Amino acid sequence: MTRNKLATPAALAAAVILLVTAVFLGWLVVRVAAVETLASQGARPGMLVAGRPTVVLAQAVGGLIIGRGKVDPATLPAVRRAAAALPLDARPYLLIASDYAQRGRRDLAIKSLEAGRRLDPRQRWIHILLLDRYLRDGKYVAAAEELSVLSRLVGGAQGPIATAMAQMSVAPETRDAVRETLRQDPVLERSVLTSLASSGTEPATLFAMASPSAVAMANVPGGWGTVLVDRLVEARRYAQARRVWQRINRLNDQQVAPLLYDAVLDRLPGSTPFNWTFNSGALAAVDVRGKKLEVNYYGRESGELANQLILLPPGTYRFGFVVSGMQPAATPKLAWVFSCQDAPKQTLASIPLQVGDSNPRRIAGTVIVPAGCPAQRLRLTGIADEFPAPISATIEGLRLDKVAAR
């Protein structure tokens, strides 16, 4: 989403194409309503009774939708008669406005649409055509408001609408209008921010446009902040991803200073990937209780039981922990494994738990991080054996320290 994509009002009007889903859903509603009206009059769907105002309007609006917003002028006399019979129906204003627009009478088209909107604020086609008019005329504040309304009226078009508003939010002509509108619609704001977070939008731009409430919700699962962190990690912008992660989780520098986050297993705040992820399921049961990691590995398949993404500069480190539990001989194994994030198969260290009895024992190993390995993944791994057998282990007192160079 770059600036030049939406540099002119004409280009901005192309965002209306993103609402095809809304148009389609609107047509389904009209079609069903028309068929039901005809059925109630004992007529076949192919026989529209011109004298019935509701049938006339249903037919005319159906033609408008099929014509992608263009009305058949031949239907207008019947539409005006129907309008006189149904003075509170908004559809005649929609149809007459479309005719005005086709004839280049833009001001009258907007006035007619706005009058119809006052009669029926939930008429989706009126909002869609108003959006088109406002965009083409450069009325961006009004256009942003229409997008906000449409996002609530047409659930199936939430994605395209959020995408359109995301584009408008970074264009100079529409940025302020969209941001002001999003402040009034928290749900749409989060959708727009998520759309931007999954694109190439820079973190500084996202935080600048996000309201305080949106920032507070950034770290929820699937929230725009977590989407942004995941994108930065995928792009290998690890240090920036870590800073964003720290910000959305509202952590101070002292909290994130340790080489291994939450090494004491105190369930500190913070989303993945720079905090612990524990995998319970068919592979194992993993839980934290009283600052201890309780692991019941079933031993049937190899896999990852816990992991955390860490950022260690090149050098030598010492990783240690205390473990207790019971493990028969010649059974599956548990091990802490360090690897480069960019090369998962490149193992930096593998430190087996060596569980033998219920007495706690301290285990430690050396980890060497080479140059060209800016991010590392620490995993607790279950390694299956030919003959499956369960392993129970309790892990605590994790430590990761830099070894001073001699």
Side-chain angles (χ1 to χ4, degrees):
M1 271 181 236
T2 56
R3 229 175 115 161
N4 60 358
K5 285 185 180 178
L6 295 170
T8 65
L12 282 167
V16 180
I17 297 173
L18 296 169
L19 301 174
V20 170
T21 304
V23 175
F24 176 71
L25 291 177
W27 161 234
L28 288 181
V29 172
V30 171
R31 183 172 64 180
V32 170
V35 171
E36 289 178 348
T37 299
L38 291 170
S40 68
Q41 302 298 328
R44 296 192 304 274
M47 295 176 59
L48 293 173
V49 184
R52 301 285 186 181
T54 55
V55 175
V56 168
L57 294 180
Q59 181 189 35
V61 173
L64 178 75
I65 294 171
I66 292 173
R68 299 291 182 89
K70 293 184 178 180
V71 68
D72 181 359
T75 66
L76 291 178
V79 166
R80 293 182 186 278
R81 289 193 295 272
L86 301 171
L88 298 181
D89 197 311
R91 288 175 292 179
Y93 292 91
L94 166 66
L95 296 161
I96 292 170
S98 300
D99 178 61
Y100 280 139
Q102 287 169 226
R103 293 190 284 125
R105 306 187 68 178
R106 295 160 59 175
D107 290 345
L108 289 175
I110 288 178
K111 288 181 180 179
S112 182
L113 289 170
E114 290 174 341
R117 183 179 60 188
R118 286 192 291 272
L119 281 176
D120 185 1
R122 298 185 62 82
Q123 224 296 336
R124 288 171 287 184
W125 254 100
I126 286 179
H127 290 291
I128 290 171
L129 294 187
L130 274 174
L131 170 63
D132 177 70
R133 291 295 93 199
Y134 289 151
L135 284 173
R136 293 181 189 279
D137 292 349
K139 298 179 179 179
Y140 301 125
V141 173
E145 291 174 354
E146 291 303 320
L147 278 170
S148 178
V149 172
L150 280 167
S151 74
R152 295 190 293 272
L153 292 180
V154 190
Q158 179 76 42
I161 290 170
T163 300
M165 293 201 78
Q167 292 177 333
M168 293 171 68
S169 71
V170 295
E173 300 91 340
T174 54
R175 180 176 53 226
D176 293 340
V178 169
R179 292 178 184 178
E180 182 60 31
T181 300
L182 292 179
R183 293 293 193 275
Q184 314 304 319
D185 192 336
V187 175
L188 182 59
E189 180 185 26
R190 290 194 291 271
S191 296
V192 169
L193 290 170
T194 300
S195 179
L196 290 170
S198 61
S199 72
T201 306
E202 287 299 310
T205 301
L206 280 165
F207 282 105
M209 71 175 294
S211 66
S213 61
V215 174
M217 297 291 290
N219 66 336
V220 301
W224 66 270
T226 61
V227 171
L228 176 60
V229 170
D230 289 343
R231 175 171 66 82
L232 293 173
V233 168
E234 186 177 352
R236 300 184 177 184
R237 296 164 64 177
Y238 300 117
Q240 190 174 31
R242 172 86 178 203
R243 289 193 296 271
V244 171
W245 172 84
Q246 177 182 348
R247 183 170 180 179
I248 66 174
N249 289 288
R250 298 179 290 282
L251 302 171
N252 58 45
D253 292 342
Q254 185 177 359
Q255 289 175 294
V256 300
L259 299 176
L260 181 62
Y261 185 71
D262 196 13
V264 297
L265 301 172
D266 202 21
R267 290 190 177 276
L268 296 180
S271 52
T272 60
F274 297 102
N275 197 357
W276 291 109
T277 299
F278 301 114
N279 301 324
S280 288
L283 196 65
V286 183
D287 194 18
V288 176
R289 299 175 185 173
K291 300 185 180 181
K292 296 181 181 181
L293 183 60
E294 303 285 350
V295 178
N296 291 295
Y297 172 50
Y298 307 137
R300 294 190 291 265
E301 298 178 47
S302 297
E304 181 181 292
L305 311 184
N307 81 82
Q308 182 180 147
L309 185 64
I310 54 180
L311 306 182
L312 302 176
T316 302
Y317 300 85
R318 190 75 172 168
F319 177 68
F321 52 92
V322 175
V323 62
S324 59
M326 295 181 294
Q327 174 183 356
T331 64
K333 303 288 191 295
L334 292 172
W336 286 105
V337 178
F338 287 80
S339 60
C340 285
Q341 176 70 8
D342 296 346
K345 295 183 179 179
Q346 181 183 346
T347 299
L348 304 178
S350 180
I351 306 170
L353 266 65
Q354 301 174 0
V355 181
D357 53 45
S358 59
N359 296 319
R361 60 184 300 184
R362 185 80 188 172
I363 299 175
T366 299
V367 182
I368 300 176
V369 177
C373 180
Q376 307 80 36
R377 184 73 66 169
L378 170 59
R379 295 178 172 89
L380 177 62
T381 304
I383 305 167
D385 189 71
E386 183 178 357
F387 302 101
I391 301 174
S392 296
T394 300
I395 305 167
E396 58 185 313
L398 301 178
R399 283 188 63 93
L400 180 60
D401 300 297
K402 180 75 183 291
V403 175
R406 294 182 179 179

